[in-house]
Amino acid sequence: MATWSESLEEARRRANLHPVPGGSGGIRIEELRRLESTYIFRRPKEVAQFLESHSFLSPLLVEAYGKIEEHFGPRSEVVLEVVRDPEVRGLVQMFGYIVTALTPEEASERLQQFDRGWLLREIHRARGVLNFDVEFA
């Protein structure tokens, strides 16, 4: 079964598209593969398309995972999902759900530490389209 990075690479090859690294022309295949090996994509096609159109998130997500491991432990499972806000028309965000078996109190405390210790300092880089929360296993 092909990964979404392989599917994206094939689609680009057929369309003869070659995005400029770091530009707004899309995520590089290598970056998408790295994210696929680090995160779990919920509704993979939708996540890959969102990352394609918001390629500035790639380095932020790579950095975020290291910080998540600092607060939630090594090899933390994090699920990326594209979420549409039903109350705000047109608001679409990428959420990273940190899967945990911690108690709700402990998970909430660690998420607050992650937010205060890293995310709030880097939130400007997310341009309003990335957020994190916990999801209980």
Side-chain angles (χ1 to χ4, degrees):
M1 178 180 217
T3 64
W4 288 104
S5 58
E6 291 166 346
S7 299
L8 181 60
E9 186 173 26
E10 178 59 28
R12 283 184 179 160
R13 195 174 12 259
R14 276 190 256 125
N16 199 24
L17 297 175
H18 305 284
V20 177
S24 60
I27 189 170
R28 292 188 329 225
I29 297 300
E30 301 79 27
E31 292 172 336
L32 187 57
R33 284 187 181 136
R34 182 173 183 182
L35 293 174
E36 284 178 324
S37 69
T38 304
Y39 291 92
I40 297 165
F41 289 12
R42 186 172 288 152
R43 294 190 307 275
K45 183 177 180 181
E46 191 174 11
V47 170
Q49 288 171 338
F50 191 88
L51 291 170
E52 174 77 4
S53 62
H54 298 84
S55 58
F56 60 88
L57 290 177
S58 178
L60 189 60
L61 285 166
V62 169
E63 190 177 327
Y65 189 77
K67 299 301 180 182
I68 290 167
E69 285 188 314
E70 288 177 20
H71 294 281
F72 289 87
R75 295 180 304 283
S76 293
E77 187 175 291
V78 184
V79 178
L80 293 181
E81 181 177 11
V82 177
V83 177
R84 285 163 180 73
D85 190 325
E87 296 178 12
V88 181
R89 187 175 185 185
L91 179 59
V92 181
Q93 293 183 305
M94 172 78 66
F95 263 80
Y97 292 106
I98 304 161
V99 180
T100 182
L102 296 170
T103 66
E105 296 79 17
E106 182 65 22
S108 178
E109 178 61 31
R110 290 186 190 199
L111 183 63
Q112 285 179 11
Q113 290 171 358
F114 167 75
D115 286 347
R116 283 187 245 124
W118 181 78
L119 185 60
L120 293 177
R121 285 195 322 259
E122 303 299 331
I123 199 73
H124 65 281
R125 293 171 54 201
R127 302 182 194 175
V129 296
L130 178 66
N131 208 340
F132 290 90
D133 204 347
V134 293
E135 182 174 284
F136 295 96

